[in-house]
Amino acid sequence: MNILKGLTILSLLSVTLACKESGYKLENTLTPDKLLTIPIDNSTINNSFATQFFAENFFAMYNAKMNSIQIYDINSSKLIRNIKLYKEGDNQTSGYGINFFYFKSNDSVAVISTNPTYIYLLNSKDSLIKKIDYSTIYGQNLKLLTLPDLGHQPQLIGNKLYLLHTIGGSFDKNFKLTQDNINRTKTTYSVDLNTDSGKLYDFTYPKEFINDKCLLGINVLYTLGENNLHVYKFTYENFIFTTYDHKTFKKYELSTSNKNFPYRDLSYSMDMYKSMKTIIESNEYVHLIYDKNKNIYYLFVRKSLKCDSNTDIKTEARFPRCSILVLNTKFSLIGVVDLEDNRFNVRISFVNKEGLFISEGHPSNSNFNEDQLSFRLFKLEKI
């Protein structure tokens, strides 16, 4: 049996079982199709989480090993541009912390650094246009939560770049949300790349979290939907929040079989092993992608795994085993697919007119190849 046929049978079987378990009559599934491969050289890190698909044809990724941004044409599977970044000097274009980026167009890219807290704007010749210190826009010490290895990406509307604000230090000493500290958990701010001005928005952690269990480690998934709809999903509850203006919000409850995702108790977070073990043994929402061509959303859900002495804790935490929930614009469930374990790196995914591409760059994948990027195409089809 060839790989594609095996994946197709697994996909259809999984969605059938998921339908029976949930009691929902689902009419769609994601069927695996062709494999897209892009050759890379030995100076390129295969599993960079800082990526972006843009202009319908280009896949860009940050190469921490060489401190550069590499752009590939997915039609030709060739490297077409390598943007070298510099950590010091008059032409400094990156920091020493986590670096990621957002292409405004083919000719303009914003490089975002966490240390120092700068946004560097580069032109088509890879030269620095200007830099913006986003942490001092309001005289506040804004820290960044938009971390690529958590599946986060910045979003752009016009000249405004939207980022997520770290809120971990806003809880009380037991990492609980209270009536007194909820206003310090505002999650989103924007930076105008033309005027260098910014805005911190009044969207906080949900009031339902007040006086609940330890909230440390609960992340926020964020994407833009149709007509620049801001869509937010907290990783441990079944609600989605949407807004156009960050003043008026709508709240949708997901209709899934997992009505109550357990909160992770990370109060012992200084113990890295226990923290990662708790993550692996919990369900959580880990990634959210909008497909503008089909006007649907793909919501990736970590499948809980009972750890034993043979479990590779670090790999399991970083590369979750996942199912995909397919949602319509009312965030109703229209499809479920259970992905094969130890095959996909779901946080490196993108969509184009063909469908959803998911990286097969899982280190435990028997077909993993350090010399190429591999993406499996999934197509939305009626059951």
Side-chain angles (χ1 to χ4, degrees), residues 126-179:
D126 307 343
S127 298
L128 179 66
I129 302 172
K130 67 175 178 178
K131 62 181 180 180
I132 304 169
D133 186 350
Y134 60 83
S135 73
T136 59
I137 287 174
Y138 284 97
Q140 303 177 48
N141 188 24
L142 291 180
K143 297 299 182 183
L144 215 57
L145 176 67
T146 314
L147 304 178
D149 58 345
L150 294 178
H152 298 154
Q153 290 184 326
Q155 301 292 340
L156 186 74
I157 300 178
N159 291 309
K160 288 184 178 180
L161 190 67
Y162 287 82
L163 303 164
L164 298 181
H165 173 216
T166 297
I167 47 74
S170 301
F171 300 134
D172 69 7
K173 64 180 179 180
N174 295 315
F175 300 104
K176 288 187 176 182
L177 190 66
T178 68
Q179 200 70 52

Side-chain angles (χ1 to χ4, degrees), residues 238-256:
N238 269 319
F239 295 98
I240 284 180
F241 298 86
T242 68
T243 182
Y244 287 105
D245 57 7
H246 287 94
K247 296 178 181 178
T248 303
F249 290 84
K250 287 186 177 181
K251 180 180 177 181
Y252 299 85
E253 183 174 7
L254 291 179
S255 54
T256 73

Side-chain angles (χ1 to χ4, degrees), residues 370-381:
E370 291 186 352
D371 297 324
Q372 69 180 26
L373 304 173
S374 300
F375 297 90
R376 178 67 63 182
L377 170 63
F378 285 81
K379 291 186 173 181
L380 185 71
E381 296 183 352

Side-chain angles (χ1 to χ4, degrees), residues 283-296:
N283 294 109
E284 69 169 331
Y285 299 105
V286 298
H287 199 29
L288 177 63
I289 300 177
Y290 174 63
D291 185 339
K292 67 179 182 180
N293 300 294
K294 299 177 179 60
N295 203 18
I296 57 175

Side-chain angles (χ1 to χ4, degrees), residues 38-47 61 65 72 360-363 365-374:
I38 301 174
I40 57 177
D41 59 31
N42 58 14
S43 67
T44 301
I45 297 176
N46 192 302
N47 268 320
M61 57 183 281
K65 186 175 181 180
Y72 297 89
E360 290 198 354
H362 192 294
N365 184 348
S366 59
N367 296 313
F368 179 72
N369 186 342
E370 291 186 352
D371 297 324
Q372 69 180 26
L373 304 173
S374 300

